[in-house]
Amino acid sequence: DQQVKQNSPSLSVQEGRISILNCDYTNSMFDYFLWYKKYPAEGPTFLISISSIKDKNEDGRFTVFLNKSAKHLSLHIVPSQPGDSAVYFCAARVNNDMRFGAGTRLTVKP
Amino acid sequence: EAQVTQNPRYLITVTGKKLTVTCSQNMNHEYMSWYRQDPGLGLRQIYYSMNVEVTDKGDVPEGYKVSRKEKRNFPLILESPSPNQTSLYFCASSGTLMGNEQFFGPGTRLTVL
């Protein structure tokens, strides 16, 4: 069963605009959420995370929002840059169990 | 340079021929894990290890074995590979128990004919 879902396989935005990537989860026991970015032929790299006790975490152009009641989190990238074009994975953790979504391919057009 | 290395990067093999994918990290991390990535399914955890000689099953362990005899190495063993194990495999490590940030290797693309 997919406990973490990214329902949009792809997203295309214009350079300078906001990118919003969404993620839904089903397990209310998840206590930590992360976003990873993956370029072709490379392993995923950590981007940003948020604890379940918070509802927002910001790091430069990247902000993650967590809505526990809706079991939903989102990643905002502002402003988007062509170098942000990659596959973004949402992940959620409880104890030793880490679950990933299927990924969203973001394309930022110049 | 801090990194996770995997070998080989690409492998084509035949059904039933035992193979090992090596994984090594130079960050003195306690926690290591293996994932497979398949289209539409994202990354799924195969096995993980919290420390030397301590391993446990992840989400999809069937058909795989692991060992953790040294802190830096965590090989993935396919005793009798089958075509449904054709996938992209990633090794990852982190510094603490299921540390928040995992460092991933570059991946191993395995094809089982």
Side-chain angles (χ1 to χ4, degrees), chain A residues 1-2 32 34 36 38 41-46 49 87 89 93 95-103, chain B residues 9-10 31 35 37 40-43 45 48 50 59 88 90 97-102 104-107:
Chain A
D1 64 335
Q2 282 221 271
Y32 215 88
L34 307 93
Y36 284 84
K38 185 183 179 304
E42 295 182 10
T45 54
F46 171 75
S49 62
V87 176
F89 290 100
R93 184 200 79 185
N95 297 324
N96 297 318
D97 194 0
M98 181 76 91
R99 299 294 177 116
F100 284 79
Chain B
R9 293 290 311 277
Y10 303 91
Y31 184 92
Y35 295 87
Q37 182 189 354
L41 296 176
L43 290 150
Q45 192 175 49
Y48 63 90
M50 291 187 287
D59 198 19
L88 179 57
F90 290 101
L97 181 65
M98 201 55 184
N100 300 331
E101 175 186 350
Q102 291 188 74
F104 282 82

Side-chain angles (χ1 to χ4, degrees), chain B residues 17-113:
Chain B
K17 186 176 182 182
K18 180 179 178 180
L19 66 92
T20 299
V21 183
T22 64
C23 172
S24 183
Q25 49 92 6
N26 62 2
M27 295 168 279
N28 202 36
H29 284 168
E30 292 183 348
Y31 184 92
M32 297 185 74
S33 60
W34 275 102
Y35 295 87
R36 60 178 288 173
Q37 182 189 354
D38 301 290
L41 296 176
L43 290 150
R44 292 180 293 167
Q45 192 175 49
I46 302 170
Y47 268 95
Y48 63 90
S49 168
M50 291 187 287
N51 213 325
V52 175
E53 302 293 1
V54 180
T55 63
D56 210 343
K57 296 177 180 179
D59 198 19
V60 287
E62 295 78 18
Y64 304 94
K65 286 175 57 177
V66 292
S67 70
R68 188 88 181 275
K69 299 189 188 309
E70 305 167 281
K71 198 171 187 179
R72 63 182 292 128
N73 296 323
F74 190 45
L76 179 69
I77 303 156
L78 285 72
E79 295 270 4
S80 183
S82 62
N84 65 10
Q85 292 179 298
T86 293
S87 187
L88 179 57
Y89 292 86
F90 290 101
C91 179
S93 73
S94 60
T96 58
L97 181 65
M98 201 55 184
N100 300 331
E101 175 186 350
Q102 291 188 74
F103 293 85
F104 282 82
T108 295
R109 184 165 292 282
L110 172 66
T111 301
V112 183
L113 302 174

Side-chain angles (χ1 to χ4, degrees), chain A residues 6-76:
Chain A
Q6 294 177 256
N7 292 319
S8 298
S10 63
L11 174 67
S12 181
V13 300
Q14 207 67 35
E15 180 180 6
R17 306 293 292 269
I18 184 171
S19 295
I20 300 177
L21 295 95
N22 294 303
C23 178
D24 296 295
Y25 62 95
T26 58
N27 188 346
S28 59
M29 298 301 291
F30 287 137
D31 60 0
Y32 215 88
F33 303 89
L34 307 93
W35 285 94
Y36 284 84
K37 179 169 71 173
K38 185 183 179 304
Y39 293 118
E42 295 182 10
T45 54
F46 171 75
L47 191 57
I48 193 170
S49 62
I50 187 168
S51 164
S52 60
I53 63 173
K54 296 186 176 181
D55 55 17
K56 178 182 175 181
N57 188 27
E58 191 172 352
D59 183 2
R61 297 186 296 114
F62 303 91
T63 303
V64 56
F65 295 92
L66 176 62
N67 182 334
K68 285 183 64 178
S69 61
K71 295 191 178 68
H72 176 84
L73 68 156
S74 61
L75 174 68
H76 291 209

